[in-house]
Short mmCIF file of all heavy atoms in Angstrom, two decimals:
data_model
loop_
_atom_site.label_atom_id
_atom_site.label_comp_id
_atom_site.label_asym_id
_atom_site.label_seq_id
_atom_site.Cartn_x
_atom_site.Cartn_y
_atom_site.Cartn_z
N GLN G 291 -152.75 -7.18 151.58
CA GLN G 291 -152.52 -5.75 151.37
C GLN G 291 -152.12 -5.42 149.93
O GLN G 291 -152.06 -4.25 149.57
CB GLN G 291 -151.44 -5.22 152.32
CG GLN G 291 -151.77 -5.35 153.78
CD GLN G 291 -151.49 -6.74 154.34
OE1 GLN G 291 -150.92 -7.62 153.67
NE2 GLN G 291 -151.92 -6.98 155.56
N HIS G 292 -151.83 -6.43 149.11
CA HIS G 292 -151.40 -6.16 147.73
C HIS G 292 -152.60 -5.72 146.90
O HIS G 292 -153.71 -6.23 147.06
CB HIS G 292 -150.75 -7.40 147.11
CG HIS G 292 -149.95 -7.06 145.90
ND1 HIS G 292 -150.51 -6.85 144.66
CD2 HIS G 292 -148.61 -6.88 145.74
CE1 HIS G 292 -149.56 -6.55 143.79
NE2 HIS G 292 -148.40 -6.57 144.43
N ALA G 293 -152.38 -4.78 146.01
CA ALA G 293 -153.45 -4.25 145.15
C ALA G 293 -154.10 -5.33 144.29
O ALA G 293 -155.25 -5.18 143.87
CB ALA G 293 -152.91 -3.13 144.27
N LEU G 294 -153.39 -6.42 144.01
CA LEU G 294 -153.92 -7.50 143.18
C LEU G 294 -154.34 -8.73 143.99
O LEU G 294 -154.51 -9.81 143.43
CB LEU G 294 -152.89 -7.89 142.11
CG LEU G 294 -152.52 -6.79 141.12
CD1 LEU G 294 -151.38 -7.24 140.21
CD2 LEU G 294 -153.73 -6.37 140.31
N ALA G 295 -154.53 -8.59 145.28
CA ALA G 295 -154.88 -9.72 146.16
C ALA G 295 -156.06 -10.50 145.59
O ALA G 295 -157.07 -9.92 145.19
CB ALA G 295 -155.20 -9.23 147.56
N GLY G 296 -155.88 -11.83 145.52
CA GLY G 296 -156.92 -12.73 145.06
C GLY G 296 -156.96 -12.94 143.55
O GLY G 296 -157.66 -13.83 143.07
N GLN G 297 -156.20 -12.17 142.79
CA GLN G 297 -156.22 -12.28 141.33
C GLN G 297 -155.13 -13.24 140.84
O GLN G 297 -154.04 -13.28 141.39
CB GLN G 297 -156.06 -10.91 140.70
CG GLN G 297 -157.24 -10.00 141.01
CD GLN G 297 -157.19 -8.73 140.22
OE1 GLN G 297 -157.13 -8.77 138.99
NE2 GLN G 297 -157.18 -7.60 140.91
N SER G 298 -155.44 -13.98 139.79
CA SER G 298 -154.49 -14.91 139.19
C SER G 298 -153.44 -14.17 138.36
O SER G 298 -153.78 -13.27 137.59
CB SER G 298 -155.21 -15.91 138.29
OG SER G 298 -154.27 -16.73 137.61
N TYR G 299 -152.20 -14.58 138.52
CA TYR G 299 -151.11 -14.03 137.72
C TYR G 299 -150.69 -14.99 136.61
O TYR G 299 -149.86 -14.66 135.77
CB TYR G 299 -149.89 -13.69 138.60
CG TYR G 299 -149.34 -14.89 139.33
CD1 TYR G 299 -148.51 -15.80 138.71
CD2 TYR G 299 -149.66 -15.11 140.66
CE1 TYR G 299 -148.00 -16.91 139.38
CE2 TYR G 299 -149.16 -16.20 141.35
CZ TYR G 299 -148.34 -17.10 140.70
OH TYR G 299 -147.85 -18.19 141.37
N VAL G 300 -151.26 -16.17 136.55
CA VAL G 300 -150.86 -17.21 135.61
C VAL G 300 -151.13 -16.77 134.18
O VAL G 300 -152.24 -16.35 133.83
CB VAL G 300 -151.58 -18.54 135.92
CG1 VAL G 300 -151.19 -19.61 134.91
CG2 VAL G 300 -151.27 -19.00 137.34
N ASN G 301 -150.08 -16.85 133.36
CA ASN G 301 -150.13 -16.49 131.94
C ASN G 301 -150.49 -15.03 131.69
O ASN G 301 -150.93 -14.69 130.58
CB ASN G 301 -151.08 -17.41 131.16
CG ASN G 301 -150.59 -18.84 131.18
OD1 ASN G 301 -149.40 -19.10 131.10
ND2 ASN G 301 -151.52 -19.78 131.30
N LYS G 302 -150.30 -14.17 132.65
CA LYS G 302 -150.56 -12.73 132.50
C LYS G 302 -149.26 -11.98 132.23
O LYS G 302 -148.17 -12.45 132.56
CB LYS G 302 -151.19 -12.15 133.77
CG LYS G 302 -152.46 -12.82 134.21
CD LYS G 302 -153.61 -12.50 133.32
CE LYS G 302 -154.89 -13.09 133.90
NZ LYS G 302 -156.02 -12.91 133.07
N VAL G 303 -149.41 -10.80 131.67
CA VAL G 303 -148.31 -9.85 131.59
C VAL G 303 -148.49 -8.94 132.80
O VAL G 303 -149.40 -8.12 132.83
CB VAL G 303 -148.33 -9.03 130.28
CG1 VAL G 303 -147.24 -7.96 130.31
CG2 VAL G 303 -148.17 -9.94 129.07
N LEU G 304 -147.69 -9.16 133.83
CA LEU G 304 -147.78 -8.34 135.04
C LEU G 304 -147.15 -6.99 134.79
O LEU G 304 -146.05 -6.90 134.22
CB LEU G 304 -147.08 -9.02 136.21
CG LEU G 304 -147.66 -10.33 136.71
CD1 LEU G 304 -146.85 -10.85 137.88
CD2 LEU G 304 -149.11 -10.17 137.07
N VAL G 305 -147.84 -5.94 135.20
CA VAL G 305 -147.34 -4.57 135.05
C VAL G 305 -147.37 -3.95 136.44
O VAL G 305 -148.45 -3.72 136.99
CB VAL G 305 -148.21 -3.77 134.06
CG1 VAL G 305 -147.64 -2.38 133.86
CG2 VAL G 305 -148.35 -4.50 132.72
N LEU G 306 -146.18 -3.71 136.99
CA LEU G 306 -146.05 -3.28 138.38
C LEU G 306 -145.00 -2.18 138.52
O LEU G 306 -144.20 -1.95 137.60
CB LEU G 306 -145.69 -4.48 139.26
CG LEU G 306 -146.76 -5.58 139.26
CD1 LEU G 306 -146.15 -6.92 139.61
CD2 LEU G 306 -147.87 -5.23 140.23
N ASN G 307 -144.98 -1.57 139.67
CA ASN G 307 -144.06 -0.46 139.91
C ASN G 307 -142.61 -0.92 139.94
O ASN G 307 -141.80 -0.53 139.13
CB ASN G 307 -144.44 0.28 141.19
CG ASN G 307 -143.57 1.48 141.43
OD1 ASN G 307 -143.24 2.21 140.50
ND2 ASN G 307 -143.17 1.67 142.66
N THR G 308 -142.26 -1.73 140.93
CA THR G 308 -140.87 -2.16 141.07
C THR G 308 -140.81 -3.54 141.71
O THR G 308 -141.77 -4.02 142.30
CB THR G 308 -140.06 -1.14 141.90
OG1 THR G 308 -138.66 -1.45 141.79
CG2 THR G 308 -140.44 -1.16 143.37
N ALA G 309 -139.65 -4.16 141.57
CA ALA G 309 -139.39 -5.45 142.19
C ALA G 309 -138.85 -5.25 143.58
O ALA G 309 -138.12 -4.30 143.85
CB ALA G 309 -138.37 -6.22 141.34
N LYS G 310 -139.23 -6.13 144.48
CA LYS G 310 -138.66 -6.12 145.82
C LYS G 310 -138.28 -7.54 146.17
O LYS G 310 -138.76 -8.49 145.57
CB LYS G 310 -139.64 -5.52 146.84
CG LYS G 310 -140.95 -6.26 146.93
CD LYS G 310 -141.91 -5.59 147.88
CE LYS G 310 -143.21 -6.39 147.95
NZ LYS G 310 -144.14 -5.85 148.90
N GLY G 311 -137.43 -7.68 147.13
CA GLY G 311 -137.05 -9.01 147.55
C GLY G 311 -135.66 -9.37 147.09
O GLY G 311 -135.01 -8.63 146.34
N GLY G 312 -135.22 -10.52 147.54
CA GLY G 312 -133.86 -10.95 147.29
C GLY G 312 -133.79 -12.21 146.47
O GLY G 312 -134.65 -12.48 145.63
N VAL G 313 -132.79 -12.99 146.76
CA VAL G 313 -132.46 -14.18 145.98
C VAL G 313 -133.64 -15.16 145.92
O VAL G 313 -133.88 -15.76 144.88
CB VAL G 313 -131.20 -14.85 146.56
CG1 VAL G 313 -130.91 -16.16 145.86
CG2 VAL G 313 -130.02 -13.91 146.46
N ALA G 314 -134.40 -15.28 146.99
CA ALA G 314 -135.53 -16.22 146.98
C ALA G 314 -136.53 -15.87 145.88
O ALA G 314 -137.03 -16.75 145.19
CB ALA G 314 -136.22 -16.25 148.34
N SER G 315 -136.81 -14.58 145.70
CA SER G 315 -137.73 -14.18 144.63
C SER G 315 -137.20 -14.59 143.26
O SER G 315 -137.97 -14.98 142.39
CB SER G 315 -137.97 -12.67 144.65
OG SER G 315 -138.92 -12.33 145.62
N ALA G 316 -135.90 -14.49 143.07
CA ALA G 316 -135.31 -14.84 141.78
C ALA G 316 -135.50 -16.32 141.46
O ALA G 316 -135.98 -16.67 140.38
CB ALA G 316 -133.83 -14.46 141.76
#
Side-chain angles (χ1 to χ4, degrees):
Q291 299 81 7
H292 198 280
L294 298 174
Q297 295 189 56
S298 174
Y299 60 80
V300 178
N301 296 323
K302 303 288 186 184
V303 175
L304 295 181
V305 183
L306 298 155
N307 184 41
T308 192
K310 59 184 181 177
V313 175
S315 279

